[in-house]
Structures are given as C-alpha cells and as structure tokens.
Amino acid sequence: MLAPKKVKWRKQQRGRMKRKATRCNTLAFGEFGMQALEPGWIDSRHIEAARVAMTRFVKRGGKVWIRIFPDKPYTKHPAESRMGKGKGTPEGWVAVVRPGTIMFEMAGLKADIAQEAIRLASHKMPIKTRLVAA
C-alpha cells in the first residue's frame, strides 16, 4: 500500500475540504479518468483496491496512472479508552480529495473496456465518482 517514506511531522490536523479542486482537475496523461464528485479522505487501502480492480479487469492491457497519493496521517484512539489523554497514535495514511479531482487515468484501451474498469474501481471508493473522457 502507498505511504510516504518520510514526513516532517508525525501528526497533522484534520483540515477542511471546502470548495472544488483547482489542481489535478483535468486529464493530463490518459484518455479516460475517474473524477471525484464529493470531498473525502481516500485511504491507501481504497486506492490499492481500486488499482487492483482496474488492472485485473483489463488483464494487464493499457496503462493506469494514479493521480492521488496518501500523504496525510490520520490518528485514532484505542477502543474503550477514556476521554482526554491527548491525540491518538497515527493509524494510516489518506489522500485529501476535493470535488473535481481526477483520481485515476487510463489509456490504450477501447472506450467500453475502460468505462467498465473505472466503474468497477469506483465501487471501491468511499465517495461518488464519475467517468471523464478526453
């Protein structure tokens, strides 16, 4: 799964996901893409599950680009722990996605195959997505 090699700070604040994406909101590499329609945190497990679903369906044909990277740590307190005692320990990594962000791109495939692969991958995502074509 994806995770940064090194970060400056172990813990980050949660932040806000206001407004639409101003970066990474157009196709840059491929002919077809998966675009986020709502804001959310995409876990490294979601990204890997979507990548596996897409590559399995196309049977190693075409090319897939992952345009998001989970570089934000999220923390969690253990179950049944009392309130207080500071912030929890880092649990995993998420990518912050705003509406309009292109998350995956594909090229070198027929339109119907790419559309089905992106549809299968979108079921692995915790947010609503849509297919965009060049």
Side-chain angles (χ1 to χ4, degrees):
M1 277 180 282
L2 297 171
K5 288 188 183 90
K6 184 180 172 186
V7 288
K8 194 168 185 179
W9 310 109
R10 262 181 81 227
K11 298 176 183 178
Q12 270 186 29
Q13 293 188 337
R14 295 173 62 86
R16 295 173 68 177
M17 292 176 277
K18 288 176 62 171
R19 297 192 287 273
K20 289 188 164 55
T22 55
R23 297 179 185 93
C24 297
N25 55 1
T26 56
L27 291 175
F29 304 103
E31 301 153 6
F32 304 97
M34 182 196 299
Q35 187 176 40
L37 294 178
E38 54 190 28
W41 282 358
I42 309 297
D43 197 341
S44 55
R45 290 183 192 89
H46 297 138
I47 297 170
E48 181 63 14
R51 184 195 66 79
V52 167
M54 289 164 70
T55 53
R56 278 214 180 126
F57 182 77
V58 298
K59 298 182 179 72
R60 296 194 309 272
K63 185 154 173 56
V64 175
W65 288 270
I66 302 171
R67 298 278 309 270
I68 55 175
F69 186 79
D71 56 355
K72 181 184 184 74
Y74 71 92
T75 61
K76 209 172 181 183
H77 265 297
E80 299 177 8
S81 62
R82 292 191 174 183
M83 298 290 284
K85 306 282 190 291
K87 195 167 180 172
T89 56
E91 279 291 309
W93 299 91
V94 293
V96 179
V97 170
R98 290 176 168 173
T101 303
I102 303 289
M103 297 187 287
F104 294 93
E105 291 189 31
M106 298 184 88
L109 296 165
K110 292 180 182 171
D112 56 337
I113 293 172
Q115 183 176 357
E116 181 62 18
I118 289 175
R119 188 190 70 80
L120 289 171
S122 70
H123 289 304
K124 311 293 182 194
M125 292 287 135
I127 59 173
K128 288 182 184 172
T129 61
R130 72 172 186 168
L131 171 79
V132 289

